[in-house]
Amino acid sequence: MDSDGSPKPSLRGSEPPDASITSGALARRLGISPTTLRSWDQRYSLGPARRQRGHHRRWSPQDVAMVEDMCSLTASGVSPAEAARSAKERAHAAPQGQGTRPVLARSATAAGTSGTAGSRGSSGLPFGAVRAECRGLARAALRLESVAIQEQLNAFVQEHGVVAAWEELMMPTLHAVGRKWESSGDRYVEVEHLLSWHVSTALRNAQLLLGPGETRKGSSPVLLACVPGEQHTLPLEAVHAALLQRGRPVRMLGAAVPAEALIAAVLRTGPAAVVLWSQTRSLASTPLALHLLGMGWGVTGARQQAALVLAGPGWRGARIEGAVQPQGLREAIALLAPESSVPSE
């Protein structure tokens, strides 16, 4: 049996054993839901050319090329019916044994996309060397496939955890979509907004996907806040989810926290650390950071003070003695919730 539960193809005949894949594997590879794949088959006869009664459907390289062509065309704005007609015509005209990449090259040209092999792929987004899941997620985002986007994000979080999901899947795909938006005259705004929403959903649901971390009783929380005026919260949401996974108490204040409200929250919660996020340099407030560093609470002679973590590109170049500036989520979590402090089961 294959890992997805389907029977292995027969070794008899001239085709190698890995020449075809199941519908589930194809859906994951393309970044679409199995329901979409079935719908395309039912509506446009865009299914495997060879079918065996009583067996899982298996897709040959030529079948895969046809559906990849369909995905590329629909992602570029072609209607599904027209994309299916074009993909089938190209598949029938292609020489036997032709792989998927020549078909994709033609479909990318027809759709008006460009890019070199290995940098853009069939999603049409500017990727570098990234995991295959990034391309699948990008394809689903370009087609505004909400179900497929959330399924892929949730599955990756469950399998690899929050930090890996953020660094290896969410952030690279968000950056690629953002670069596409910037270079396309404000197109793809809806793609970035939809993807951001589902990334936020996956991060907020991480406790449900992974199970709650065991919290150490009596430990002080970590306070998370964006500087006044800062609306970008996704990186802080990743910190929040990763700290919860480590069992660290945390309080999220979110976007654009007024200085007075942040100071009041520090005094009320007595945090072990304050993480202050700034996306842009113009919003990074050195006076606020210095004020937080000088704050103390508690009785005279036993005053406590929170560690200050300045996170985000807005703080680059800032020299604030006593504050730490981690480079990325992994380093921030290592500082805020080191493995040695996590309660053992």
Side-chain angles (χ1 to χ4, degrees), residues 69 72-73 76-78 86 90 103-114:
D69 207 5
S72 182
L73 289 168
S76 70
V78 179
S86 179
R90 290 172 180 171
V103 176
L104 286 175
R106 289 200 305 275
S107 66
T109 302
T113 57
S114 61

Side-chain angles (χ1 to χ4, degrees), residues 35-341:
T35 302
T36 297
L37 202 57
R38 288 193 297 271
S39 175
W40 285 353
D41 188 8
Q42 294 166 359
R43 293 184 181 183
Y44 312 118
S45 299
L46 209 70
R50 299 177 61 184
R51 304 170 189 258
Q52 289 182 310
R53 183 175 297 178
H55 293 273
H56 290 282
R57 295 189 304 169
R58 300 195 71 90
W59 301 71
S60 70
Q62 290 73 34
D63 298 329
V64 171
M66 179 174 61
V67 182
E68 283 184 324
D69 207 5
M70 172 78 170
C71 289
S72 182
L73 289 168
T74 54
S76 70
V78 179
S79 70
E82 178 62 23
R85 184 191 63 77
S86 179
K88 287 192 290 185
E89 286 180 355
R90 290 172 180 171
H92 294 154
Q96 287 296 317
Q98 179 174 319
T100 61
R101 193 157 296 280
V103 176
L104 286 175
R106 289 200 305 275
S107 66
T109 302
T113 57
S114 61
T116 58
S119 63
R120 286 184 181 267
S122 61
S123 69
L125 294 178
F127 279 113
V130 296
R131 299 180 65 115
E133 291 93 338
C134 292
R135 303 183 190 280
L137 182 60
R139 295 185 190 106
L142 286 170
R143 290 191 301 276
L144 305 181
E145 288 271 3
S146 289
V147 173
I149 293 171
Q150 202 64 60
E151 285 178 350
Q152 291 179 65
L153 288 168
N154 290 350
F156 200 97
V157 169
Q158 285 180 307
E159 184 174 357
H160 302 286
V162 172
V163 174
W166 176 255
E167 293 186 343
E168 300 175 23
L169 178 65
M170 297 171 176
M171 189 166 57
T173 309
L174 285 165
H175 283 176
V177 171
R179 289 195 295 271
K180 185 72 171 179
W181 170 25
E182 292 173 354
S183 64
S184 303
D186 285 341
R187 291 178 61 200
Y188 303 101
V189 174
E190 72 285 0
V191 176
E192 185 177 38
H193 283 209
L194 183 70
L195 180 58
S196 296
W197 170 265
H198 286 289
V199 166
S200 178
T201 300
L203 291 172
R204 296 189 189 198
N205 287 341
Q207 266 196 304
L208 298 176
L209 297 170
L210 298 168
E214 184 182 348
T215 303
R216 175 175 291 182
K217 295 180 179 180
S219 56
S220 299
V222 175
L223 194 63
L224 309 179
C226 290
V227 296
E230 179 60 72
Q231 298 294 336
H232 293 83
T233 63
L234 279 182
L236 268 192
E237 291 176 39
V239 175
H240 182 269
L243 288 175
L244 289 179
Q245 186 182 353
R246 290 281 185 96
R248 194 76 162 93
V250 59
R251 304 288 184 270
M252 165 67 92
L253 300 185
V257 181
E260 297 80 3
L262 177 58
I263 292 168
V266 169
L267 291 173
R268 289 176 63 186
T269 62
V274 177
V275 179
L276 199 56
W277 175 268
S278 178
Q279 183 77 15
T280 57
R281 185 170 297 181
S282 62
L283 293 176
S285 173
T286 297
L288 176 59
L290 292 173
H291 185 86
L292 292 173
L293 280 170
M295 285 183 63
W297 57 88
V299 298
T300 303
R303 292 189 180 275
Q304 303 177 60
Q305 194 171 30
L308 180 61
V309 178
L310 303 178
W315 295 107
R316 288 175 187 163
R319 296 290 182 267
I320 301 177
E321 187 177 353
V324 293
Q325 299 182 43
Q327 302 300 308
L329 178 61
R330 195 175 299 272
E331 183 177 333
I333 300 306
L335 288 169
L336 296 166
E339 291 283 3
S340 59
S341 67

